[in-house]
Amino acid sequence: MDDTQLIERAQSVLHWRQLTDECVAGEVSAALLTSQGKVYVGVSISAGCGIGFCAEHSAIAAMVTDGETRIQKLVAISGDGKLVPPCGRCRELLYQIDRGNLETEIVLEIGRPTRLAELLPRRWQDLWAPAAGNDSKDGA
Ligand SMILES: [Zn+2]
């Protein structure tokens, strides 16, 4: 599946709608292609008190529900039709569900993929590595 086809899948669910006074869905949509060749889509939900979530998050949840974690390619589209990068929280989520997702192609420009590793160069878990000189084998 090429970038344009995946973008079309994301566009197919990009429909802004007011759900309640404080809740809007579909401001952003996302589509992801798994390593098994399946496509999952999702939309953002913006809700009061910060309890909403991103379109990528929604698509990832559908994929994990179906038993997959490894993503080959991911795209997200805003309501004005622009390709948008995943936010920091979604970048971290992509990494935490499957380390192999550092190789995921994030479609920000057709035909010129950006790997997740480029968008998430220093991972949170990296900070948990023992500090140099703090190893008990050093006898310090
Ligand atoms: Zn996000």
Side-chain angles (χ1 to χ4, degrees):
M1 173 170 286
D2 66 22
D3 293 353
T4 302
Q5 291 170 314
L6 196 61
I7 290 168
E8 288 170 358
R9 293 293 298 270
Q11 287 172 330
S12 73
V13 294
L14 183 62
H15 305 293
W16 183 96
R17 54 212 179 264
Q18 186 92 38
L19 302 178
T20 63
D21 287 346
E22 66 281 354
C23 190
V24 172
E27 293 174 298
V28 176
S29 66
L32 63 83
L33 174 66
T34 71
S35 61
Q36 301 297 313
K38 286 188 175 177
V39 174
Y40 295 90
V41 295
V43 297
S44 61
I45 298 177
S46 299
C49 306
I51 59 171
F53 47 83
C54 297
E56 297 94 323
H57 188 138
S58 179
I60 289 167
M63 171 190 70
V64 171
T65 300
D66 206 25
E68 290 194 65
T69 58
R70 181 71 172 87
I71 302 167
Q72 181 181 336
K73 189 181 296 195
L74 178 144
V75 65
I77 305 171
S78 61
D80 58 4
K82 292 181 180 168
L83 301 177
V84 293
C87 74
R89 184 170 183 262
C90 287
R91 294 175 196 191
E92 186 66 32
L93 180 62
L94 287 162
Y95 174 66
Q96 288 198 23
I97 63 165
D98 192 317
R99 300 292 194 257
N101 286 336
L102 286 174
E103 300 303 317
T104 297
E105 298 174 10
I106 309 295
V107 180
L108 300 174
E109 187 177 341
I110 293 173
R112 297 188 63 185
T114 300
R115 291 184 319 116
L116 177 62
E118 297 173 64
L119 300 178
L120 194 64
R122 297 204 54 194
R123 271 86 57 191
W124 176 69
Q125 287 84 357
D126 294 346
L127 302 175
W128 292 92
N134 203 20
D135 188 332
S136 62
K137 288 187 286 185
D138 292 345

